[in-house]
């Protein structure tokens, strides 16, 4: 992901970011917030989603590396 992730989000664990993202989505779905606040929530949600995607991509890479190492040891 090429978007810059704010430092406070980058420091969150996957679980923390996912939980906050769920809260952001719930707030947006309920509506009632002024346009500017909704836009700020949307932007934060995008950054949280990117952070979660980065975490998952990293985990996927680690699994791929472990599988390749294991297969290499068996050859």
């Amino acid at each position: 992901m090429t978007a810059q992730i704010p430092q406070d989000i980058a420091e969150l664990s996957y679980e923390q970011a996912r939980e906050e993202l769920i809260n952001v989505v719930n707030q947006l779905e309920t509506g009632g917030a002024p346009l500017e606040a909704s836009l700020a929530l949307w932007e934060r949600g995008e950054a949280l989603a990117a952070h979660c995607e980065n975490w998952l991509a990293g985990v996927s890479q680690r699994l791929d590396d472990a599988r390749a190492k294991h297969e290499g040891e068996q050859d």
Side-chain angles (χ1 to χ4, degrees):
M1 195 121 269
T2 59
Q4 182 70 14
I5 295 175
Q7 186 64 33
D8 66 320
I9 291 175
E11 294 172 354
L12 296 175
S13 70
Y14 171 79
E15 291 81 5
Q16 291 168 322
R18 186 191 65 210
E19 186 65 32
E20 187 175 339
L21 179 57
I22 290 168
N23 290 335
V24 166
V25 169
N26 286 336
Q27 287 178 313
L28 288 170
E29 286 180 341
T30 31
L35 180 59
E36 199 60 39
S38 294
L39 180 58
L41 279 171
W42 178 269
E43 290 170 342
R44 184 148 181 95
E46 287 290 320
L48 288 162
H51 182 58
C52 288
E53 285 180 27
N54 289 343
W55 263 98
L56 292 175
V59 168
S60 179
Q61 183 61 52
R62 287 175 56 194
L63 286 171
D64 290 345
D65 292 346
R67 283 188 194 116
K69 181 180 177 185
H70 179 70
E71 290 171 1
E73 290 173 354
Q74 289 184 344
D75 289 338

